[in-house]
């Protein structure tokens, strides 16, 4: 599923970047060599980043 249509960024790409890049959606887009265009995806992208980082934190805490 695409999170960002303007940049063709898939959810799985964003999740992978979220594990290695701190910062907001714009920072993660930049790590992919992209930047927001229309901006309509940013709220959803932030939700994905939060969810992915929360899952990672919970996995690390359980180990
Ligand atoms: S959908 Fe992501 S910038 Fe337009």
């Amino acid at each position: 599923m695409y999170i960002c249509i303007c940049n063709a960024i898939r959810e799985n790409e964003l999740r992978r970047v979220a594990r290695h890049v701190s910062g907001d959606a714009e920072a993660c887009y930049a790590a992919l060599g992209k930047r927001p265009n229309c901006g309509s995806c940013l709220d959803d992208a932030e939700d994905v980043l939060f969810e992915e980082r929360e899952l990672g934190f919970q996995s690390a805490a359980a180990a």
Side-chain angles (χ1 to χ4, degrees):
M1 177 176 120
Y2 285 102
I3 288 292
C4 176
I5 301 300
C6 293
N7 287 295
I9 298 172
R10 294 177 187 270
E11 182 177 339
N12 63 345
E13 290 177 278
L14 189 59
R15 287 185 183 279
R16 180 171 33 87
V17 170
R19 291 182 225 128
H20 304 288
V21 175
S22 61
D24 61 7
E26 291 187 48
C28 290
Y29 285 17
L32 291 167
K34 319 237 173 171
R35 64 182 188 184
N37 184 12
C38 73
S40 66
C41 58
L42 293 176
D43 284 345
D44 288 341
E46 295 288 354
D47 289 346
V48 168
L49 295 177
F50 177 80
E51 181 183 291
E52 186 63 25
R53 290 168 177 159
E54 189 72 13
L55 287 173
F57 178 76
Q58 289 174 0
S59 296

